[in-house]
Structures are given as C-alpha cells and as structure tokens.
C-alpha cells in the first residue's frame, strides 16, 4: 500500500511514511485506500489474543514489512511484563449498554503506550529497509502523555534518540515527574514557556526547516516524529477498536454486524481518527462522538463547519486535551474533501494565516453523518467522576469522564441507545488530585502532594495505585532544561551538546 500526503504530495511506502513522519509539503501521510476487513474476519478476531488481532489489522497497511517482522514487533511491544492486564486493552461493563475500553494498562498509564510501545520497533525496521544509516532523532511535542510514552518507547533503542518538548506549566505533577525522571542515554526533556499548541507549532516548524535538517544531518541525525501526525502512531490505534468489538461479541453484548457507538476524549484527533479508519475498513460503527473539555474548538467545528482558533485557551483538569490546533483533523478533512489535496492545503493555509477556515454546509453534513460532538467543563467532569464512582463503582480519570459526560448528553439529545463504548485514555492515578477532589469533595486534596492524593484515593476506592506511580517518588529528576517557545531549534542543538 502506498501513502499520499493530505496536501497532494507524492506517494511513499508504509515504512517511509513511518520513518519520516511528516510529508515534505507539510501534509500528513494517509493510506491510498482503507483495506476492507470482512465481517467474517471480524468474527475470527474473537478467538485471538491482542497480538494476533493486531497482526491481522497491521499487515493490511504495512505491506513492506514482513509478517514475521510485524509479529516480532508486536510481541516485544505488548509484552505481558509491561502491561498490567493480560488483555492489553480490556473492556469493562459500566451499565446496560455502556462499556469502557481501558487503554491505560501500559508502562506510562495512558493510551499513548498502545502506539508508542510499538513505534520504535516499526521505526528501526523502517530505517533498515530504507538504508537510513543516520540516527533517527525523534522530536515530540506533548500535552503530557505522549512525551513520557515516547521516552519510554525509545529509551536506549540503538540508532535513535528522543527529545520531548512539554509546556512547563501545563501538565500534571505526575506527568511532569514521569518525564523529568526518565533514564536512558538518548533522551532529552525540555520545558517550554508556552502551551501545547506552541510546542506543537514549534516542532512542526523544525520539521519543515531545511536549515535545521542540515544542522541535524551534519551531526549524523535525521528527524522523525512520534506525535500522532506519524502514521505509525495511528495504525496501532485502529487495532483496539476492532478488539473492543470482538470483546463485545465474546460477551454476547452484540450480534455480528450490529453497530456500536464510540465516544472518544479528543485533543489532537488521533485516537478518534483511528476509530474512523476502523469504520472505513468495515467495523460496524454507527456514530463517533468527539468529546472535548472547555477547549471546545472541535465541538463548534462539528456543529457549524467552521474551525476557529481565535478563542481563549483554558487550562483544565483534563490537560492532555488542552489543544486548539487539532493536527489529525487534517486527515479527516482529506476524506471530506474527496481526497483533494489542494483544497486541504488551502484550508490549512487559511488556518495558519487567518486562524480559521470554513468547510461549507454540504461537507459539514457529510461529517455529521458519522460524527457527533460535545464538551463539558471541569465542574461537570468532576460530577461525572463522582456519579460513575457512586452509582457504577467505577473510578475514571478526568479525560475519560469528559467522554462519559458527553455520551450521557448525546443519549439525552438524540435518544440513540446504540451500545456504546467509552474510550478510557488514562489511569485515574495520573490525575490523582483532581480525581480525589471529585469523589471526596473539593478540599480533599488541599495541601497534599500527588503521592498523598494517590494514597487517599486508593484507600477510598480500593483501586490499587499502579507500581509506576509509587516508583516515581524515589526517582531523581534528571532533566531540567527549559527554553522559550521561539528558541526550540537552539534548545535541541544544546541538548545534543552543540
Ligand atoms: C493524548 C490524550 C488524549 C487525546 O488524544 P488525541 O489522540 O490527541 O485526540 C486524551 N486523553 C489522554 C489521557 C491523552 O493522553
């Protein structure tokens, strides 16, 4: 299968798309087609474990990887020693007709592990396949979770390095500690004075700078991306939507071919886009519900067809979704524009120059056939955490709670009671202070650090604190580098000792 740029650029192979991350014209790589997965094939997933399910899906896209290469990469990525649930992506029943797909059982406790445990294997294979002898230098912008997941994935992987930019004041305490305590001889963590959009815009600018590429090349390095703009991030995410469906079949909750809804807490639009790809491949999905926090630029977009970033940026209790420029939406726009790269390029130019673009009524209707959208504020999010804990005895993190709230509203608004899956993206212990205040009252976390909050939350809920959180307490901080948002190129060179 070949891959095109969303802005019309030339075709590359799967391994090239993964190795270089972003297309030269600034667009994102998209597959030439969506490989069909028949209902019969979906039925066959029910008898498979997670790695076998993943292999079935991955091999349809990664045509220049051999099946033994894919299987070995999967076995290393979804190693039972690294995930604390043997199902890898288990489904929990919340109530009649509602399920939670838990994607936080990996080493860094957020769904980013689902892709970033695999990506380093796909990247090093891709380097070999394409005769790339330079060091593959991963540059990452993170709103909190991608950074640590990428660092864990690429740490000490020969022939690679991983440099992460995070907003200094925009991540949770646990998120920050997870990153700044990372070991490994090839990792760099840099706080920037700015928000996630600044970090992402800066990283994208480095990717399109010929001067910077030249400086890196002189050091024997070539840039690549571990953000969800890389197709190698997306393809492992498609898997768990099929896996969730197979689990519902196994539980007798649905019949083969019956449609389900997914509600996805969304920031950069990568996770929900993977669900859309799964649907295009034949997964019986009725609606995809895009859930946002107060940074509700996507809710407005799906409701009126206008993407407009001229608005206040809010820091919320779901910081991994504090994003106004949602990169992966470009891949949906590409489908919506009937794969007209010039039109997508025009919208992206308008976004860059005027901070807004409009797709028109017809295209908006096309989107609303599949997508619905909603949002909630921090108070509603806390109420949802408490309600699910008290009524359903389920402890969810702040991001998952946003999705759960939006699903409830969607059902009230539409009367659509199709079986629904809430996609759970993080462990509640990654955001212990906010989750604790939600279940035990707003002053419960006052004066407590993240570890004390976790202990209190464990006593109260009976849900065990993950080992990774406990271990953080005694790990030394190794990364203290900071930079201004317009100094990111210099900061990378400094990190590499230049
Ligand atoms: C990254 C992240 C999200 C948003 O996912 P996107 O793919 O960027 O839409 C939601 N929740 C958590 C916990 C995350 O880490």
């Amino acid at each position: 299968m070949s891959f095109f740029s969303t802005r019309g650029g030339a075709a590359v192979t799967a391994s090239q798309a993964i190795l270089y991350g972003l297309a030269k014209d600034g667009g994102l790589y998209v597959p030439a087609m969506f490989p069909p997965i028949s209902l019969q094939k979906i039925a066959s997933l029910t008898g498979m474990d997670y790695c076998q399910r993943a292999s079935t899906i991955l091999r349809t896209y990664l045509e220049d990887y051999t099946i033994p290469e894919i299987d070995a990469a999967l076995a290393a990525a979804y190693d039972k020693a690294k995930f604390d649930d043997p199902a890898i992506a288990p489904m929990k029943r919340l109530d009649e007709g509602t399920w939670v797909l838990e994607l936080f059982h990996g080493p860094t406790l957020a769904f980013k592990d689902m892709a970033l445990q695999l990506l380093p294997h796909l990247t090093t294979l891709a380097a070999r396949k394409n005769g790339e002898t330079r060091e593959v230098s991963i540059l990452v912008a993170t709103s909190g979770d991608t950074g640590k997941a990428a660092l864990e994935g690429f740490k000490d992987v020969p022939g690679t390095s991983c440099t992460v930019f995070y907003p200094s004041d925009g991540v949770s305490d646990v998120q920050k500690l997870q990153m700044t305590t990372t070991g490994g001889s090839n990792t760099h963590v840099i706080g920037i004075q700015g928000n996630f959009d600044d970090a992402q815009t800066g990283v994208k600018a480095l990717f399109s700078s010929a001067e910077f590429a030249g400086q890196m090349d002189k050091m024997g390095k070539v840039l690549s991306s571990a953000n969800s703009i890389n197709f190698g991030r997306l393809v492992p995410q498609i898997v768990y939507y099929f896996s969730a469906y197979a689990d519902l079949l196994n539980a007798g909750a649905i019949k083969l071919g019956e449609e389900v809804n997914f509600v996805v807490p969304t920031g950069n639009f990568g996770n929900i886009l993977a669900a859309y790809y799964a649907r295009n491949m034949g997964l019986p999905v009725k609606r995809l519900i895009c859930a946002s926090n107060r940074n509700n630029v996507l809710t407005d977009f799906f409701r009126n067809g206008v993407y407009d970033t001229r608005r206040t940026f809010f820091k919320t209790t779901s910081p991994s979704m504090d994003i106004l420029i949602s990169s992966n939406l470009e891949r949906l726009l590409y489908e919506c524009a009937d794969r007209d790269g010039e039109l997508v390029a025009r919208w992206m130019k308008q976004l860059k120059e005027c901070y807004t673009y409009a797709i028109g009524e017809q295209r908006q209707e096309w989107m609303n056939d599949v997508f619905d959208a909603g949002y909630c504020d921090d108070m509603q999010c806390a109420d949802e955490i408490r309600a699910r804990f008290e009524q359903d005895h389920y402890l969810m993190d702040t991001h998952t709670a946003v999705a759960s709230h939006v699903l409830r509203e969607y059902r009230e608004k539409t009367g659509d009671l199709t079986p629904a899956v809430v996609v759970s993206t993080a462990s509640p212990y990654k955001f212990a202070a906010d989750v604790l205040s939600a279940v035990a009252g707003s002053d419960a976390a006052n004066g407590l650090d993240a570890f004390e909050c976790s202990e209190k939350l464990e006593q109260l809920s009976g849900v065990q604190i993950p080992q990774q959180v406990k271990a953080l307490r005694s790990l030394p901080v190794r990364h203290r580098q900071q930079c201004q948002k317009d100094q990111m190129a210099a900061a990378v060179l400094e990190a590499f000792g230049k």
Side-chain angles (χ1 to χ4, degrees):
M1 167 126 38
S2 45
F3 288 75
F4 301 114
S5 162
T6 48
R7 302 189 193 174
V12 298
T13 63
S15 68
Q16 287 165 342
I18 290 171
L19 184 55
Y20 299 115
L22 201 63
K24 289 205 172 61
D25 59 9
L28 311 188
Y29 286 120
V30 281
M33 50 135 2
F34 295 104
I37 302 285
S38 65
L39 284 181
Q40 200 184 0
K41 196 123 206 197
I42 291 173
S44 76
L45 300 177
T46 57
M48 299 182 183
D49 70 11
Y50 194 82
C51 280
Q52 292 166 325
R53 289 173 181 176
S55 178
T56 309
I57 303 303
L58 256 53
R59 62 178 74 166
T60 64
Y61 284 103
L62 306 183
E63 277 177 353
D64 65 335
Y65 291 73
T66 67
I67 290 173
E69 281 173 342
I70 291 173
D71 288 344
L74 287 168
Y78 303 121
D79 182 345
K80 303 242 157 68
K82 291 193 204 159
F83 280 73
D84 66 12
D85 191 305
I88 308 297
M91 289 274 276
K92 303 281 164 72
R93 185 177 172 282
L94 199 58
D95 62 35
E96 188 65 43
T98 314
W99 298 71
V100 180
L101 171 60
E102 293 186 346
L103 300 176
F104 54 77
H105 290 280
T108 77
L109 307 172
F111 91 94
K112 306 296 197 290
D113 288 325
M114 299 302 297
L116 282 163
Q117 281 298 306
L118 184 65
L119 185 65
H121 301 285
L122 299 181
T123 303
T124 47
L125 284 166
R128 212 175 310 149
K129 285 178 193 298
N130 292 282
E132 180 59 74
T133 53
R134 292 170 290 182
E135 174 194 281
V136 181
S137 302
I138 306 290
L139 276 196
V140 178
T142 185
S143 57
D145 292 326
T146 298
K148 178 59 178 177
L151 290 162
E152 263 323 289
F154 282 95
K155 182 176 79 182
D156 290 331
V157 173
T160 73
S161 66
C162 184
T163 305
V164 170
F165 288 96
Y166 71 95
S168 279
D169 301 316
V171 299
S172 82
D173 293 346
V174 169
Q175 287 178 316
K176 184 181 259 184
L177 269 180
Q178 279 186 314
M179 289 188 278
T180 57
T181 57
T182 302
S185 57
N186 64 342
T187 55
H188 311 284
V189 181
I190 305 169
I192 77 157
Q193 309 299 327
N195 60 34
F196 170 73
D197 288 320
D198 297 323
Q200 174 161 264
T201 304
V203 165
K204 274 193 177 173
L206 294 182
F207 274 104
S208 50
S209 160
E211 188 195 346
F212 186 68
Q215 287 168 321
M216 294 294 281
D217 185 56
K218 271 201 208 119
M219 294 190 281
K221 299 178 195 297
V222 59
L223 285 178
S224 185
S225 168
N227 279 107
S228 54
I229 52 177
N230 190 324
F231 185 76
R233 272 283 302 278
L234 268 184
V235 66
Q237 295 178 180
I238 298 171
V239 174
Y240 49 71
Y241 289 100
F242 281 96
S243 177
Y245 192 88
D247 285 347
L248 287 176
L249 286 172
N250 279 342
I254 53 168
K255 291 191 289 292
L256 185 64
E258 190 178 339
E259 288 180 326
V260 298
N261 290 339
F262 286 98
V263 52
V264 188
T266 303
N268 227 352
F269 210 75
N271 200 352
I272 194 168
L273 184 83
Y276 177 70
Y277 277 24
R279 184 181 186 273
N280 285 356
M281 294 166 73
L283 190 69
V285 173
K286 185 172 180 192
R287 307 300 297 280
L288 295 172
I289 304 158
C290 173
S292 301
N293 62 27
R294 251 181 112 193
N295 295 297
N296 57 357
V297 59
L298 286 166
T299 316
D300 289 346
F301 174 69
F302 283 112
R303 288 185 183 167
N304 60 27
V306 179
Y307 197 92
D308 192 342
T309 61
R310 294 167 300 180
R311 59 179 73 215
T312 311
F313 177 91
F314 296 106
K315 279 208 247 179
T316 73
T317 56
S318 44
S320 304
M321 292 151 63
D322 290 348
I323 292 175
L324 292 180
I325 304 171
S326 208
S327 286
N328 270 296
L329 188 64
E330 183 167 341
R331 287 187 163 110
L332 180 64
L333 291 173
Y334 183 70
E335 304 306 327
C336 176
D338 242 340
R339 308 203 137 207
D340 177 350
E342 276 174 37
L343 181 53
V344 175
R346 222 175 307 142
W347 285 328
M348 291 302 107
K349 188 159 177 271
Q350 285 167 5
L351 182 66
K352 196 166 175 194
E353 290 170 1
C354 315
Y355 310 101
T356 182
Y357 60 86
I359 60 170
E361 206 168 308
Q362 252 179 335
R363 291 201 168 84
Q364 188 211 332
E365 278 171 20
W366 179 91
M367 294 222 177
N368 291 152
D369 247 10
V370 182
F371 288 90
D372 202 287
Y375 75 100
C376 74
D377 63 22
D378 286 353
M379 189 104 85
Q380 292 167 312
C381 172
D383 288 346
E384 184 67 20
I385 293 174
R386 189 174 54 252
R388 298 290 64 76
F389 181 63
E390 288 175 355
Q391 293 164 34
D392 302 324
H393 314 289
Y394 186 86
L395 189 68
M396 51 178 57
D397 96 291
T398 47
H399 303 75
T400 309
V402 168
S404 184
H405 172 97
V406 167
L407 173 63
R408 206 165 302 286
E409 265 190 4
Y410 167 82
R411 283 175 166 164
E412 274 164 30
K413 178 180 76 178
T414 61
D416 176 9
L417 296 179
T418 302
V421 178
V422 176
V423 176
S424 176
T425 48
S427 156
Y429 287 102
K430 249 188 142 158
F431 307 93
D434 289 314
V435 175
L436 177 65
S437 331
V439 293
S442 55
D443 6 318
N446 279 358
L448 304 185
D449 70 17
F451 301 105
E452 292 161 338
C453 288
S454 296
E455 279 160 11
K456 215 163 150 183
L457 192 58
E458 183 178 52
Q459 282 163 11
L460 217 133
S461 68
V463 178
Q464 276 196 350
I465 303 177
Q467 207 44 50
Q468 300 92 308
V469 171
K470 286 188 185 163
L472 274 183
R473 203 168 205 165
S474 53
L475 289 177
V477 171
R478 295 183 63 234
H479 304 276
R480 299 181 191 277
Q481 197 178 339
Q482 297 280 327
C483 80
Q484 299 296 324
K485 64 185 180 192
D486 54 357
Q487 298 291 323
M488 288 168 58
V492 175
L493 299 177
E494 185 191 327
F496 284 120
K498 292 282 156 180

